[in-house]
Amino acid sequence: MFRNFKMVSRVIFGRGCFNQLDDILASERKSDNPVVFMVDDVFEGRPLEKRLPLRQGDLLLWVNVDQEPKTAYVDQLTGQVRDQTKQAGKGLPAAVVGIGGGSTMDLAKAVSLMLTNPGSAADYQGWDLIKNPAVYHLAVPTLSGTGSEVSRTTVLTGPEKKLGINSDYTVFDQIVLDPELLTGVPADQRFYTGMDCYIHCIESLSGTYLNAFSQAYGEKALSLCRQVFLEDCRDADDKLMMASYFGGMSIAYSQVGVCHALSYGLGFVLGIHHGVGNCIAFNQLEEYYPDGVREFRQMLAKQQINLPTNIMAGASDRQIEKMIDVALILEPLWENALGKDWRKQMTRQKIKDLYLAM
Ligand code: NAD
Ligand code: ZN
């Protein structure tokens, strides 16, 4: 069976296009129900705050992403939106707008879904468990690489697992891609999130699930990453923003691989963020992605990034076993990377050795 793939309905791209956000939202404001702005709290007090097109009755929620999104946080934010709209005598929000990096975009997706679906976000971690369409939701990325702006998942850490809410309803209705908003991202963060995109491409392009659709997007995204991280190119932020989009499109119709499986284990047990966790894991994967790892190290050198080392120093045996469990749940990733008989190649001991080298 071929996947009938849901895409973002509308895309606007260009320097300064953020200024059109008010116009775009105007067509969604059919009643006096509020628009909910979920904005990364890094922008509190920054010029972007004054540019938010808030109208009377709208809700502004500053979200904190020091930790990657948890289901409990999604439940708390959803409850807050419900309480505040109820107190104001309003109905379901007209729109949810997420402004920030992958974490904030994922929080906005999750809240828009949970406003129309009962229970906790943790009940929906998995594939196609969502029953009701979400509230209209829109993303404005301020950090590029994750591809969350185009994906059908919102990656959440729940009580038992780190797993996305994967559904057609998760996909954004609109994205606003304004490269100017990437200005001011700290260099190491820009690199780690950018490498998420690079690694999406390498894992997609060398996987067994590869097809012409994924290859077309993956090759373009890879070429853009090379320009951004190996050359002194003009319009680097414009290119990085489109690399993220294309990289996301590439994995949407294929899959990621070994690096992402290991990185999820690092995230769940040690709280290591996705981008940096990917880089730490990828650096150990010469056996699986020899050319990619070599080029990644050139990018590290060119961008003068020092990767954290010896991260397993304080990890207990129990933690390492849990990391292996979390990594092994992600069966499609292993199958994509290593083929149908991946279990013969990837033993618990092999995964443990890879973790211990990090
Ligand atoms: P992030 O959203 O976690 O943000 C990282 C840091 O950068 C934060 O401190 C944030 O405040 C800061 N930041 C964001 N924009 C900034 C700006 N313009 N200027 C200065 N600082 C800024 O980072 P990320 O790497 O974009 O996202 C990682 C998250 O994305 C993880 O939770 C991961 O699981 C998720 N993810 C989701 C998908 C998906 O398809 N849904 C795919 C890959 C990763
Ligand atoms: Zn990723």
Side-chain angles (χ1 to χ4, degrees):
M1 272 285 276
F2 294 98
R3 188 135 33 92
N4 191 1
F5 166 51
K6 171 88 169 64
M7 290 166 76
V8 171
S9 312
R10 282 176 177 274
V11 182
I12 182 169
F13 173 84
R15 291 186 166 258
C17 74
F18 182 77
N19 292 335
Q20 281 171 245
L21 182 56
D22 191 40
D23 291 345
I24 291 168
L25 290 171
S27 53
E28 299 306 318
R29 294 180 186 272
K30 292 170 196 108
S31 61
D32 67 346
N33 290 335
V35 170
V36 180
F37 290 85
M38 295 174 58
V39 188
D40 188 324
D41 64 7
V42 77
F43 293 108
E44 214 169 341
R46 297 244 207 118
L48 190 73
E49 179 175 353
K50 295 213 165 55
R51 296 176 62 201
L52 296 173
L54 287 159
R55 296 202 189 170
Q56 198 180 0
D58 284 350
L59 262 53
L60 171 57
L61 303 186
W62 293 110
V63 297
N64 183 273
V65 298
D66 290 347
Q67 293 185 346
E68 292 191 337
K70 292 197 164 37
T71 53
Y73 192 36
V74 172
D75 294 345
Q76 180 202 318
L77 290 166
T78 309
Q80 207 177 324
V81 173
R82 282 208 184 103
D83 290 349
Q84 291 191 24
T85 44
K86 199 168 158 199
Q87 273 170 23
K90 301 278 169 63
L92 208 56
V96 173
V97 176
I99 304 179
S103 298
T104 306
M105 290 191 274
D106 280 2
L107 285 168
K109 285 177 176 176
V111 168
S112 73
L113 288 164
M114 295 315 300
L115 284 169
T116 53
N117 286 275
S120 161
D123 303 336
Y124 299 96
Q125 284 180 283
W127 282 269
D128 303 305
L129 303 173
I130 291 281
K131 296 283 177 292
N132 304 317
V135 168
Y136 169 97
H137 48 304
L138 178 156
V140 183
T142 64
L143 188 55
S144 283
T146 64
S148 172
E149 63 276 23
V150 292
S151 78
R152 77 190 291 276
T153 190
T154 156
V155 182
L156 301 176
T157 302
E160 281 153 29
K161 55 198 171 213
K162 180 172 178 184
L163 186 63
I165 301 181
N166 297 264
S167 81
D168 282 354
Y169 300 125
T170 309
V171 180
F172 283 111
D173 297 290
Q174 165 91 53
I175 55 177
V176 174
L177 302 179
D178 183 344
E180 275 180 1
L181 301 180
L182 304 188
T183 313
V185 178
D188 55 347
Q189 185 65 58
R190 181 176 187 272
F191 181 80
Y192 294 140
T193 303
M195 285 303 105
D196 191 17
C197 173
Y198 177 77
I199 296 166
H200 290 160
C201 298
I202 298 294
E203 294 192 312
S204 172
L205 290 170
S206 56
T208 61
Y209 290 4
L210 189 66
N211 51 68
F213 181 104
S214 293
Q215 188 172 4
Y217 281 111
E219 284 175 352
K220 186 66 204 177
L222 190 60
S223 144
L224 289 166
C225 286
R226 287 178 176 142
Q227 292 173 53
V228 171
F229 292 108
L230 288 175
E231 296 167 19
D232 299 308
C233 70
R234 283 178 52 237
D235 301 336
D237 286 341
D238 303 54
K239 287 179 174 158
L240 186 55
M241 198 160 246
M242 287 320 297
S244 177
Y245 180 108
F246 274 62
M249 291 295 288
S250 179
I251 48 171
Y253 220 67
S254 60
Q255 192 41 280
V256 284
V258 179
C259 179
H260 272 73
L262 297 178
S263 177
Y264 270 47
L266 294 176
F268 188 86
V269 178
L270 299 180
I272 296 178
H273 286 216
H274 185 74
V276 66
N278 279 349
C279 288
I280 293 168
F282 196 63
N283 202 28
Q284 300 305 327
L285 295 179
E286 256 173 313
E287 184 182 342
Y288 304 96
Y289 307 109
D291 296 341
V293 173
R294 208 172 307 122
E295 190 170 56
F296 164 73
R297 289 183 184 148
Q298 287 167 9
M299 292 177 175
L300 269 176
K302 166 89 181 157
Q303 302 298 323
Q304 301 180 328
I305 303 291
N306 291 313
L307 268 189
T309 51
N310 212 10
I311 56 156
M312 304 298 282
S316 65
D317 284 347
R318 249 187 72 218
Q319 284 181 308
I320 295 171
E321 291 305 315
K322 182 68 190 172
M323 274 183 230
I324 300 171
D325 293 340
V326 172
L328 282 171
I329 293 172
L330 300 158
E331 296 184 2
L333 283 65
W334 296 108
E335 188 181 287
N336 175 46
L338 305 172
K340 288 212 182 303
D341 68 344
W342 63 269
R343 282 187 186 80
K344 288 192 196 126
Q345 299 174 57
M346 193 47 72
T347 59
R348 290 186 75 88
Q349 185 60 46
K350 181 94 202 171
I351 298 178
K352 187 170 181 177
D353 292 344
L354 287 168
Y355 275 132
L356 289 175
M358 294 178 191

